[in-house]
Amino acid sequence: MTDARRPVFVDSHAHLDGEQFQADREQVIVRAREAGVETIVAIGNGDGPGSMDCGIKLAEQYEFIYATVGIHPHEARLATDAVLTELTQLAKRPKVIAWGEIGLDYFYDHSPRDLQQQVFVNQMELARAAKLPIVIHCRPSDGSDDAWQDCSGLISAYWAGSGLGGILHCFTGTWPHAKRALDLGFMVSFAGNITFPKAQQIRDAAKEVPLDRMLIETDCPYLAPVPYRGKRNEPAFVRETARQLGELRGLSTEEIGMKTAKNFYHFFSLHETANFI
Ligand SMILES: [Zn+2]
Ligand SMILES: [Zn+2]
């Protein structure tokens, strides 16, 4: 019999393909399941061209893993026409539920900004043709609003009209940034950095985001939440993000887990499971 009180979490953003998981990926996934992580989205950026099917491979191996495909803004300089064509082919695979992560990263500037913008627009056009929502990565340069401005401008111009929406992943901005994303039809996903002592701005925004528009994620292996900070992150730790959100919203960790899981299944029109009351 199913225990209705069993916790349920969805990790809406995980990089399980990396070498950090090479030695013990199977155990990491088992631990996630034991912690109540019912579904994981394996982000399919990999290291760029040549590994953009990394999420799909995991999704084909595990029934409860879904995948994305896309070129990360870091690798925008590698996005040739052939690469974009390959992405369009990969996007047709059955367990691909979103295109991403795509967007702008002005913090690291691993690719020139004009190229990041061009490749972002190209991928929004391809995602629209593929009828897939997008997963947005947006990171401004230190102390600036620059990437937020450019990102929301490009989304308004090239995406909002699609009606497909998407996820603003690993939210790091202020409430006005979140509000803008919500107005553009996006879900806002919180990661482990919401638990960091200095992240008051993220916690303030999280108090305002409507409960039915939020998701949780790990972005593992990066950004392990307190009390695991500095260690390798893994899907089981998504619980700490739920705990922090629950504290902010006067709800239990399990209630946030359940609520954000429902939001996820609803947004992607996936089946809810027997664990839902
Ligand atoms: Zn990201
Ligand atoms: Zn990521």
Side-chain angles (χ1 to χ4, degrees):
M1 222 177 97
T2 307
D3 178 358
R5 290 165 305 169
R6 185 181 179 274
V8 173
F9 302 101
V10 171
D11 183 353
S12 73
H13 192 112
H15 299 268
L16 287 175
D17 54 292
E19 60 182 22
Q20 296 93 332
F21 294 114
Q22 208 53 52
D24 62 346
R25 188 173 293 109
E26 180 72 39
Q27 290 98 300
V28 164
I29 290 170
V30 167
R31 274 203 294 278
R33 301 288 283 173
E34 285 169 0
V37 179
E38 198 178 57
T39 298
I40 300 172
V41 179
I43 299 299
N45 292 130
D47 303 316
S51 56
M52 301 180 306
D53 61 346
C54 62
I56 295 173
K57 281 185 182 155
L58 283 162
E60 286 176 349
Q61 206 181 336
Y62 297 96
E63 171 266 327
F64 51 88
I65 295 183
Y66 292 91
T68 71
V69 294
I71 285 265
H72 193 283
H74 288 338
E75 280 96 37
R77 67 198 142 72
L78 305 176
T80 59
D81 285 350
V83 165
L84 294 172
T85 304
E86 187 192 346
L87 280 171
T88 291
Q89 291 307 318
L90 291 173
K92 293 177 186 158
R93 303 279 276 274
K95 289 188 81 186
V96 174
I97 58 169
W99 195 298
E101 56 189 284
I102 60 176
L104 304 172
D105 194 309
Y106 294 175
F107 186 81
Y108 287 111
D109 283 324
H110 285 334
S111 288
R113 293 181 185 183
D114 56 342
L115 206 52
Q116 289 191 42
Q117 292 165 16
Q118 184 55 53
V119 172
F120 181 25
V121 170
N122 288 342
Q123 292 188 91
M124 282 193 275
E125 285 165 352
L126 297 175
R128 183 195 284 245
K131 296 191 171 57
L132 288 174
I134 52 179
V135 178
I136 297 290
H137 171 103
C138 178
R139 186 157 184 202
S141 53
D142 232 350
S144 165
D145 224 22
D146 48 13
W148 290 111
Q149 295 298 337
D150 291 354
C151 218
S152 60
L154 291 173
I155 290 170
S156 306
Y158 295 95
W159 187 253
S162 74
L164 292 162
I167 300 173
L168 180 57
H169 113 87
C170 189
F171 183 74
T172 56
T174 60
W175 164 236
H177 295 133
K179 173 80 170 57
R180 181 103 179 93
L182 293 165
D183 290 346
L184 288 167
F186 280 74
M187 306 293 280
V188 176
S189 182
F190 292 96
N193 52 353
I194 196 174
T195 65
F196 296 175
K198 284 187 183 159
Q200 194 53 45
Q201 158 181 316
I202 307 177
R203 287 188 288 275
D204 289 343
K207 284 184 201 161
E208 308 292 334
V209 174
L211 275 175
D212 61 354
R213 301 290 299 279
M214 58 169 66
L215 299 174
I216 54 174
E217 65 173 76
T218 54
D219 202 14
C220 65
Y222 319 108
L223 292 174
V226 173
Y228 308 104
R229 196 169 178 187
K231 297 194 176 139
R232 179 190 69 175
N233 199 1
E234 61 176 73
F237 299 168
V238 78
R239 175 185 185 86
E240 298 306 319
T241 298
R243 187 193 52 71
Q244 176 68 79
L245 283 168
E247 224 169 75
L248 295 168
R249 303 299 290 252
L251 294 168
S252 69
T253 303
E254 289 72 21
E255 283 169 321
I256 292 287
M258 183 72 80
K259 187 80 199 139
T260 50
K262 269 184 185 263
N263 294 343
F264 175 86
Y265 295 126
H266 186 252
F267 181 78
F268 287 107
S269 304
L270 297 169
H271 291 299
E272 293 180 0
T273 67
N275 286 321
F276 285 87
I277 313 158

